[in-house]
């Protein structure tokens, strides 16, 4: 079963974020706290939304996403930040069900893109994504500013900048 997350799901979502970070070999990078996640998902101006995959034993996976915008299509889209299914529940269709629910949301709302990133070494996920018709965007490279580089660039902004 796929359902929208509720504030009561924040602890289990945070736990699964930690599990995902460990799987992606970056456990030390998962710094989010319950209050941050609760504010991001359920505060007055939510930054993201989440779906929960459940089986008889409770939550077994989640998808955390936010709306983006394409200047090329002139429409919103969905960016999937995290998709995770606990190891004991993999192969049960939960990941596909989460993706299908988000694809349905895109179609229903007239969004023309549903995008996400995957680590290049994650062959099981890459194979799964290809099997549902997703295409890699090999010609694009993701860039990220964090830490000192982010602050250094910010310091060059005009005083009255955004």
């Amino acid at each position: 079963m796929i359902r929208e997350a509720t504030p009561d799901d924040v602890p289990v979502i945070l736990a699964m974020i930690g599990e995902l970070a460990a799987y992606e070999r970056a456990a030390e990078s998962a710094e989010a706290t319950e209050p941050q996640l609760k504010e991001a998902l359920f505060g007055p101006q939510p930054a993201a939304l989440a779906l929960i995959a459940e089986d008889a034993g409770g939550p077994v996976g989640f998808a955390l996403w936010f709306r983006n915008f394409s200047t090329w299509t002139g429409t919103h889209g969905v960016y999937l930040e995290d998709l995770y299914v606990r190891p004991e529940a993999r192969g049960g269709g939960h990941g596909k069900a989460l993706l299908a629910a988000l694809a349905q949301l895109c179609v229903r709302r007239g969004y023309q893109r549903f995008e996400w990133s995957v680590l290049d070494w994650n062959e099981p996920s890459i194979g799964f994504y290809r099997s549902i018709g997703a295409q890699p965007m090999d010609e694009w490279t993701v860039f990220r500013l964090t830490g000192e580089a982010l602050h250094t660039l910010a310091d060059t902004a005009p005083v009255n900048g955004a």
Side-chain angles (χ1 to χ4, degrees):
M1 177 176 102
I2 305 300
R3 64 172 175 79
E4 291 184 13
T6 69
D8 291 340
D9 292 313
V10 169
V12 75
I13 293 170
L14 191 61
M16 287 191 282
I17 289 170
E19 294 167 24
L20 174 61
Y23 174 78
E24 291 183 349
R25 306 172 189 162
E28 69 286 348
S29 296
E31 299 175 355
T33 65
E34 279 190 33
Q36 286 175 319
L37 192 56
K38 189 169 187 173
E39 178 72 17
L41 294 173
F42 304 105
Q45 294 181 305
L49 298 147
L51 298 175
I52 299 291
E54 287 186 318
D55 65 13
V60 295
F62 79 103
L64 193 141
W65 64 278
F66 54 89
R67 194 171 69 159
N68 60 13
F69 183 78
S70 169
T71 57
W72 289 14
T73 67
T75 64
H76 287 287
V78 163
Y79 186 83
L80 178 62
E81 179 66 22
D82 285 331
L83 175 70
Y84 180 73
V85 175
R86 288 184 158 153
E88 65 273 13
R90 292 183 189 152
H94 302 293
K96 186 174 183 180
L98 286 163
L99 291 172
L102 288 172
Q104 184 179 63
L105 180 139
C106 289
V107 170
R108 192 172 60 244
R109 295 185 182 180
Y111 299 171
Q112 295 185 28
R113 291 185 180 171
F114 177 17
E115 299 176 318
W116 61 91
S117 297
V118 62
L119 291 165
D120 60 5
W121 55 260
N122 191 344
E123 289 299 327
S125 293
I126 291 168
F128 169 63
Y129 298 146
R130 287 180 185 271
S131 78
I132 62 169
Q135 299 295 313
M137 303 296 293
D138 294 332
E139 69 275 15
W140 293 89
T141 299
V142 176
F143 282 82
R144 178 178 294 160
L145 269 176
T146 62
E148 187 177 330
L150 176 64
H151 288 273
T152 299
L153 182 59
D155 289 342
T156 68
V159 173
N160 293 325

